[in-house]
Amino acid sequence: MTIHQPQFARGMFVDGDYVDAAAGKTLPVENPKNGEIIGVVADGDATDIEAAVQAAERAFTTWGDTTGAERADIMERAAQILRRRLPEFVSLEIDQIGRCRREMAAQLSRVPEWFSYFGAVARTHEDTVPPFGRTHLNYTRRVPIGVVGHVTPWNHPILILTKKIAPAMAAGNTMVVKPSEIAPITPLMLGEVFKEAGLPNGVYNVVPGYGPTTGLALTSHPRIRKIDLTGGTATGRVIAEMAGKNLIPFTAELGGKASLVMFPDTPVERCVAATLFASFVATGQTCVQGSRLVVHRSIHDRVVAELSRRADLIRLGDPQDPATQLGPLSSKRQRDTVERYVKIGLDEGATLAAGGKRPDGEAFSRGYYYRPTVFTDVKNEMRIAQEEIFGPVVVVIPFDTEEEAIALANGTEFGLGTSVWTKDVARAHRVAHAIRAGIVWINDHHRIDPASPWGGFKMSGLGRENGLIAYDEYTQIQSVIVNLSDAAFDWYSDDGGEKRYS
Ligand code: TXE
């Protein structure tokens, strides 16, 4: 097996060190632009998960007892180190998932904000409760949950991981991460950042491996106190069962089928630019990809013509090249899925207005490239309009009335994101309120911020990432009730004691 630059062979990260899997098994990491192996990491099993959980348990005895301010200091240092090392992280992320440089650089430049934000939350977030009668003082403490398990995907390896570990760490938990088998390199690299920042050994552990083996060992582990997953809805159901059996909280950010709802006052050029951005960024591999363009019939034909023309002009190429606008899909399996769905769409009677094939040329022959694809003549019931394809494919569906637009936007089993495009303020809010999705953008798409709650309605998930709510979900409340009275305390005496529950 050839290992190409950047050579990466670091096993797993447990108790502050890079070590090999106990059984010595390894997992190759492939560059999707040419199929070359760019790194080898550990393929962990239940023994390795057990070692990581034990390290996290040891670390929890002290980390769980630190103050919010102490944790905030370390997290702020980690944010600064990450800022310094961003070019290296950007390059590694591009190599492992194929996402193009202009996007990856923009996305990673924001990641340190999550550590700063949740560090600040740890420093400042306080709870008080109203006085409890005349005789009792009651206060609450937010205490960490313990050792938490994070299962993360490949589409935004560091951003999604950070959305989970920053609140978990800020709240005083310790963690074992099972990153995607496709993109374990940058999650492992983050171990170095935390070490330099002074995070105690064992707080952050990473055991790479496959879902049904390593992932299962983590999510079924009896001493994991919470699980947080970003992945497909099918995986969410499997892990939810584990969490149910162990009676532990489960946060899940799952699949999506986001619509862009375009009202007729949106100029055609804006409508097209918005759709290109919402649909094709990350080669369409995002949970909030604008995969359904729900557009008013009066502008439908002009939008489709211009959208198809512009989609054909998008520059595919080497994702490391700053001029490239669209990289390959992140794996062969993902491109197979896209090709399968394009065939399904044609069989269902939809019409290809753009793309629908791999790009021509030697430069693309070894990578998992696919052309930006636009389908018209789409009915809402078709599988290409209902199921998450997770690739550069957008379906266009016309509407006539506002009610119809809302029904279409809500007309899937998913409910993660939707964008509403109109200059009419009243209509924008009215439609947003009628949308059954966890995130609604007005005249924008894809925007995310550490302070802005993020998560799904319906089959798109449980719980929320980002914001104070995410921090709260990584704590449990302890209510301390103090009796302020000196009165005798003898419930069973005939004449004394406090005789009421309150
Ligand atoms: O995801 P998986 P895959 C959707 C998207 C995509 C589809 C399949 O539609 O086409 O899911 O992608 C781990 N126990 N999304 O197969 O399998 C797995 O190893 C424990 C949406 O890559 O869900 C990885 O670390 N863990 C999405 C993680 O789950 C298990 C992001 C996610 O992988 C497991 C990714 C098991 N039984 C895919 N099975 C989003 N919401 O952004 C798998 N895993």
Side-chain angles (χ1 to χ4, degrees):
M1 180 188 296
T2 327
I3 310 283
H4 292 265
Q5 288 303 324
Q7 182 168 342
F8 189 93
R10 276 192 225 178
M12 52 190 198
F13 187 73
V14 173
D15 211 7
D17 276 316
Y18 291 100
V19 290
D20 291 333
K25 281 196 294 180
T26 57
L27 183 163
V29 183
E30 187 192 39
N31 188 333
K33 79 176 178 192
N34 54 20
E36 287 175 355
I37 301 301
I38 52 162
V40 176
V41 302
D43 176 9
D45 61 16
T47 308
D48 303 306
I49 291 288
E50 178 60 32
V53 170
Q54 284 184 18
E57 284 177 327
R58 282 193 300 276
F60 184 66
T61 60
T62 48
W63 182 251
D65 210 29
T66 49
T67 65
E70 286 165 341
R71 296 194 293 274
D73 282 347
I74 290 176
M75 291 180 69
E76 190 48 50
R77 273 206 295 280
Q80 282 166 11
I81 295 164
L82 195 54
R83 280 191 189 98
R84 194 187 75 222
R85 293 187 60 178
L86 272 184
E88 191 187 340
F89 272 84
V90 168
S91 199
L92 285 167
E93 292 257 285
I94 295 169
D95 279 350
Q96 63 182 349
I97 62 165
R99 192 166 172 189
C100 62
R101 175 166 286 281
R102 64 209 300 262
E103 292 177 11
M104 218 67 259
Q107 181 175 87
L108 262 58
S109 71
R110 300 225 34 217
V111 167
E113 288 175 40
W114 265 259
F115 294 108
S116 300
Y117 172 81
F118 281 105
V121 171
R123 203 184 279 282
T124 55
H125 195 33
E126 287 169 1
D127 289 289
T128 54
V129 291
F132 187 143
R134 285 198 188 79
T135 53
H136 286 79
L137 164 71
N138 183 192
Y139 62 93
T140 56
R141 298 175 63 228
R142 268 179 200 282
V143 294
I145 297 173
V147 179
V148 298
H150 291 147
V151 180
T152 60
W154 42 267
N155 52 335
H156 311 292
I158 282 292
L159 175 67
I160 289 176
L161 176 65
T162 301
K163 286 201 286 174
K164 301 184 187 311
I165 61 177
M169 196 178 275
N173 301 281
T174 57
M175 59 220 74
V176 178
V177 176
K178 205 301 279 174
S180 164
E181 52 276 30
I182 291 172
I185 289 181
T186 43
L188 282 166
M189 289 287 288
L190 213 47
E192 268 183 14
V193 170
F194 290 135
K195 211 167 164 121
E196 188 182 339
L199 188 74
N201 291 346
V203 173
Y204 176 76
N205 305 278
V206 184
V207 182
Y210 297 93
T213 50
T214 322
L216 176 69
L218 176 63
T219 52
S220 61
H221 194 289
R223 299 198 310 283
I224 290 289
R225 302 313 321 156
K226 173 185 163 92
I227 301 172
D228 193 336
L229 160 79
T230 295
T233 297
T235 307
R237 287 203 172 95
V238 172
I239 297 183
E241 271 185 43
M242 305 291 160
K245 278 192 187 124
N246 288 333
L247 279 179
I248 57 173
F250 174 46
T251 298
E253 206 266 40
L254 305 174
K257 194 76 185 174
S259 294
L260 300 106
V261 183
M262 289 290 173
F263 285 98
D265 59 345
T266 311
V268 168
E269 314 75 66
R270 187 171 165 83
C271 178
V272 168
T275 309
L276 293 169
F277 172 64
S279 307
F280 301 137
V281 153
T283 319
Q285 301 163 113
T286 88
C287 47
V288 287
Q289 180 211 11
S291 50
R292 296 158 48 93
L293 172 58
V294 175
V295 59
H296 194 264
R297 202 177 297 278
S298 64
I299 54 172
H300 171 276
D301 291 356
R302 280 181 296 144
V303 166
V304 166
E306 184 60 8
L307 178 63
S308 309
R309 188 186 74 80
R310 291 278 312 271
D312 283 342
L313 293 177
I314 289 178
R315 268 194 311 276
L316 278 69
D318 181 344
Q320 290 284 6
D321 181 344
T324 293
Q325 294 176 325
L326 200 78
L329 286 141
S330 295
S331 65
K332 177 176 181 305
R333 198 183 66 158
Q334 209 55 37
R335 188 176 61 183
D336 289 349
T337 303
V338 171
E339 290 187 324
R340 197 173 66 245
Y341 272 106
V342 168
K343 182 167 181 320
I344 289 170
L346 292 170
D347 290 348
E348 286 177 312
T351 305
L352 273 175
K357 57 180 184 184
R358 300 179 188 185
D360 299 326
E362 178 55 26
F364 304 111
S365 63
R366 288 163 62 218
Y368 308 126
Y369 289 90
Y370 202 80
R371 289 217 61 87
T373 297
V374 180
F375 267 118
T376 57
D377 298 321
V378 175
K379 304 254 177 325
N380 194 45
E381 319 73 73
M382 289 180 179
R383 288 182 64 192
I384 53 168
Q386 290 293 322
E387 297 174 19
E388 188 173 47
I389 301 174
F390 227 56
V393 180
V394 60
V395 303
V396 188
I397 309 177
F399 71 88
D400 292 302
T401 65
E402 184 178 304
E403 293 65 37
E404 218 184 314
I406 293 167
L408 282 168
N410 287 337
T412 78
E413 64 172 351
F414 297 111
L416 193 53
T418 298
S419 59
V420 179
W421 297 78
T422 178
K423 289 189 202 120
D424 179 337
V425 176
R427 167 173 270 169
H429 289 280
R430 193 168 61 234
V431 174
H433 296 187
I435 296 290
R436 302 291 295 160
I439 306 136
V440 181
W441 296 277
I442 295 174
N443 295 326
D444 213 330
H445 203 102
H446 281 308
R447 301 300 168 191
I448 186 168
D449 189 84
S452 172
W454 180 278
F457 287 15
K458 302 194 280 184
M459 291 299 123
S460 289
L462 294 170
R464 289 294 176 271
E465 297 179 317
N466 298 348
L468 290 180
I469 189 170
Y471 181 86
D472 289 347
E473 286 188 15
Y474 274 100
T475 64
Q476 45 197 346
I477 297 279
Q478 184 181 58
S479 187
V480 181
I481 301 170
V482 188
N483 183 359
L484 300 174
S485 162
D486 284 333
F489 195 104
D490 186 355
W491 185 262
Y492 293 102
S493 68
D494 290 334
D495 58 343
E498 194 177 356
K499 288 275 195 292
R500 66 188 178 96
Y501 292 105
S502 60

